[in-house]
Amino acid sequence: MSEPKGDIGLIGLAVMGQNLILNAADHGYTVVAFNRTVSKVDHFIENEAKGKSIIGARSIQELVDNLKRPRRIILLVKAGAAVDAFIEQLLPYLEKGDIIIDGGNSHFPDSNRRYEELKGKGIRFVGSGVSGGEEGARYGPSLMPGGDAEAWPYIKEIFQSISAKSDGEPCCDWVGPAGAGHYVKMVHNGIEYGDMQLISEAYYIMKTVGGLTDKEIGDVFAQWNKGVLDSFLIEITRDILYYNDTDGTPLVEKILDQAGQKGTGKWTAMNALDLGIPLTLVGEAVFARCLSAVKGERVKASSILPGPQIPKDAVKDKKEFIDNLEQALYASKIISYAQGFMLIREAAKEYNWDLNFPAIALMWRGGCIIRSVFLGEITKAFKEDPQLENLLFNKFFTDAVTKAQAGWRKTVSLTAEYGIPAPAFTTALSFYDGYRTAYLPANLLQAQRDYFGAHTFKVVPEKANDNLKVGEAIHINWTGHGGNVSATTYDA
Ligand code: NBP
């Protein structure tokens, strides 16, 4: 048999797989394509792939036989059982050192497991986040690969050439070991939930309190897209608000207000709870979708539960109202990213991953759904100080939230005054105020825990005395008739 020609193999000819293959072929690579339903291979080869450096494989064996060594095979199939099924099918045909890359939206614990299992068999596993949807896959996605670092030199060139670019730099770099690539993609998706919720709240505030039409709101987003909020999601929101149905009225107003979700936001929020990180904005964004889903109850409640009336002149100065809203959106977004990076930092500690923070921000700078000008500033912040404890401690972001604060507070007050749900704006501000408060009311909380459950507390060092010693777990007999035995301390 002649020398194999395939640079890389790809399994899964749905929207992501087909587009990524065409992208790689455009960059001069020969791609071998396979799919569970083989008729889709034939269709692809005869149509979209015609005349390009793409080889159709009709079996796993044919796929593997057509690949140069070490073989590089990307899976872009439905996350879960399909990934395991293909790994099982591939193993008998692979040799030690070959590389399997899972580019689907896999949950990172699955990628941890696959990395370990394949390492034991001498196969290099890479779990790579791929973001940017159909368009990104075709013309340059954000790629977040992690796993077996030995694989990186063999895939780096292909990955970085097909990925999006930001100021000439590829939006793709090595993230870290095991499931770190899929972990970072998961947090990306969580942040995406937050950004979408914030934008939706801004739209809703303009519509309800501001009394703006969809066209006018579209104009505001168009304006914002020229400033600090310049981003893909603001851009598509502008276009959505300008889009009219055949009767000339905005299509968005005909869409049922029940949000769906596929689970990556929930995974992020659950992981934040597991690691004890206050990822409040993503959490609220997930719950906001859950609240939207109970439409029947909300309709019922709307006629039972009263709230304030919004007067026609609720907004006296429209320009000031919109400027304040822009500041609220910007500051809340900063909080969301600060929280996201707090989570990633904790994950690095918890899972013992050495993560490349400036590279993570750069990977999100282009190609993906959360791409924005703002991520360029985050990349800069982490390049200046890769150990940066919190994004809010970087001067650019400290100044930005300081400047945005007044407008942010006025916007949140307005929503409270007029009964407009704005969970993401509100939680962002509460987090900000909590984070900048040196002494929180958790003293009372600890007293309550000790009162009813003998959970003990520690004393403020400056207020220690002979009964209240620094560093000790103290239990007080608050009522005079309880026991003196304390409960085991633990961190939840
Ligand atoms: P889908 O997620 O719709 O998956 C379709 C592919 O999975 C087809 O090749 C299908 O084969 C295969 N497949 C299924 Br479904 N069940 C299978 C099974 N039990 N065994 C083997 N193969 C099976 O495709 P997609 O939207 O292109 O997404 C691919 C991956 O990329 C997913 O993990 C997705 O979450 C992720 N992702 C998608 C996007 C996006 O915008 N769509 C963005 C970023 C990441 P068949 O043709 O034989 O049915």
Side-chain angles (χ1 to χ4, degrees):
M1 192 186 157
S2 59
E3 277 299 302
K5 292 194 175 55
D7 296 304
I8 192 154
L10 193 144
I11 301 178
L13 295 184
V15 58
M16 294 301 283
Q18 288 201 17
N19 282 295
L20 206 69
I21 291 173
L22 295 172
N23 179 354
D26 282 352
H27 282 87
Y29 298 103
T30 299
V31 192
V32 188
F34 179 68
N35 192 63
R36 176 182 63 169
T37 308
V38 176
S39 58
K40 290 187 188 169
V41 178
D42 296 327
H43 186 271
F44 180 59
I45 295 297
E46 283 156 22
N47 293 279
E48 295 86 349
K50 206 173 186 126
K52 295 184 183 284
S53 54
I54 300 167
I55 301 168
R58 278 151 202 87
S59 68
I60 292 279
Q61 170 139 35
E62 213 182 314
L63 168 87
V64 173
D65 286 348
N66 271 295
L67 289 171
K68 296 175 190 166
R69 291 179 172 82
R71 295 157 181 120
R72 297 166 285 199
I73 302 166
I74 303 182
L75 300 176
L76 262 166
V77 295
K78 193 172 173 201
V83 176
D84 288 315
F86 271 121
I87 291 175
E88 278 308 304
Q89 288 174 53
L90 281 165
L91 281 176
Y93 299 96
L94 298 183
E95 291 167 3
K96 282 195 181 355
D98 285 346
I99 299 162
I100 297 179
I101 304 150
D102 173 18
N105 262 344
S106 294
H107 198 193
F108 77 95
D110 286 337
S111 302
N112 285 341
R113 170 179 58 78
R114 289 171 186 141
Y115 163 77
E116 291 297 340
E117 285 171 6
L118 290 173
K119 187 126 193 113
K121 295 180 164 72
I123 303 296
R124 296 154 173 166
F125 175 79
V126 174
S128 179
V130 177
S131 178
E134 181 177 359
E135 179 100 355
R138 181 68 185 86
Y139 299 108
S142 160
L143 295 171
M144 300 156 242
D148 192 330
E150 282 183 13
W152 184 228
Y154 297 101
I155 63 169
K156 183 175 175 179
E157 191 194 293
I158 300 184
F159 267 51
Q160 293 195 333
S161 71
I162 65 172
S163 77
K165 309 287 178 298
S166 166
D167 297 329
E169 285 192 77
C171 297
C172 168
D173 207 340
W174 189 249
V175 177
H182 276 134
Y183 184 86
V184 165
K185 171 66 178 9
M186 176 189 80
V187 178
H188 161 284
N189 282 28
I191 289 177
E192 179 183 310
Y193 271 58
D195 278 0
M196 291 167 75
Q197 177 64 25
L198 285 169
I199 293 172
S200 301
E201 289 178 16
Y203 146 76
Y204 198 59
I205 294 167
M206 284 190 263
K207 179 167 133 174
T208 52
V209 187
L212 273 70
T213 65
D214 286 53
K215 166 71 176 61
E216 287 169 332
I217 302 172
D219 291 343
V220 172
F221 281 113
Q223 191 55 38
W224 287 354
N225 204 40
K226 293 178 186 146
V228 289
L229 290 170
D230 179 351
S231 62
F232 172 71
L233 283 169
I234 295 276
E235 186 185 315
I236 67 163
T237 305
R238 172 201 66 196
D239 296 347
I240 289 167
L241 286 155
Y242 285 162
Y243 193 96
N244 287 336
D245 194 9
T246 44
D247 62 3
T249 66
L251 180 67
V252 70
E253 302 306 334
K254 296 184 178 178
I255 296 177
L256 190 66
D257 56 328
Q258 274 183 308
Q261 43 187 326
K262 279 193 167 173
T264 43
K266 182 180 87 176
W267 288 347
T268 318
M270 285 169 65
N271 179 254
L273 289 173
D274 282 344
L275 300 189
I277 295 297
L279 195 81
T280 61
L281 206 135
V282 174
E284 283 293 355
V286 173
F287 286 134
R289 291 195 192 194
C290 299
L291 182 61
S292 82
V294 293
K295 171 82 176 173
E297 276 179 61
R298 286 191 291 112
V299 170
K300 187 173 168 189
S302 69
S303 63
I304 299 174
L305 305 175
Q309 286 291 323
I310 305 171
K312 284 241 165 331
D313 64 344
V315 170
K316 307 263 181 317
D317 183 333
K318 205 153 136 187
K319 185 181 176 312
E320 189 189 298
F321 162 75
I322 288 167
D323 286 349
N324 288 344
L325 195 55
E326 183 181 20
Q327 296 306 318
L329 185 50
Y330 186 43
S332 303
K333 193 171 152 125
I334 293 173
I335 296 299
S336 183
Y337 284 69
Q339 292 182 345
F341 277 96
M342 279 170 83
L343 180 63
I344 297 176
R345 184 167 296 288
E346 187 61 24
K349 238 194 279 168
E350 176 75 17
Y351 309 131
N352 205 14
W353 291 340
D354 184 15
L355 300 181
N356 184 349
F357 285 86
I360 292 169
L362 181 64
M363 277 180 258
W364 295 348
R365 169 72 187 85
C368 63
I369 305 299
I370 63 171
R371 63 181 179 265
S372 65
V373 165
F374 164 88
L375 271 157
E377 295 299 338
I378 301 184
T379 309
K380 238 191 264 169
F382 281 113
K383 274 188 178 160
E384 272 167 39
D385 178 8
Q387 301 310 320
L388 184 65
E389 198 178 357
N390 192 301
L391 208 53
L392 294 166
F393 294 155
N394 171 271
K395 186 163 179 342
F396 177 89
F397 290 104
T398 311
D399 290 349
V401 283
T402 306
K403 206 170 136 232
Q405 214 178 128
W408 188 13
R409 290 189 190 282
K410 281 194 187 122
T411 300
V412 171
S413 304
L414 206 64
T415 63
E417 187 178 352
Y418 294 124
I420 305 302
F425 280 130
T426 311
T427 197
L429 187 56
S430 293
F431 171 87
Y432 177 72
D433 284 332
Y435 192 66
R436 61 175 197 86
T437 298
Y439 196 72
L440 286 168
N443 54 335
L444 176 59
L445 207 139
Q446 284 297 87
Q448 291 166 337
R449 294 180 70 239
D450 189 54
Y451 187 114
F452 68 70
H455 291 304
T456 76
F457 60 86
K458 286 183 183 156
V459 69
V460 176
E462 303 81 58
K463 297 190 179 169
N465 57 36
D466 288 347
N467 298 325
L468 306 172
K469 294 204 170 68
V470 179
E472 278 187 8
I474 302 162
H475 169 55
I476 293 289
N477 186 346
W478 295 88
T479 57
H481 49 73
N484 288 317
V485 182
S486 61
T488 318
T489 50
Y490 55 88
D491 293 318

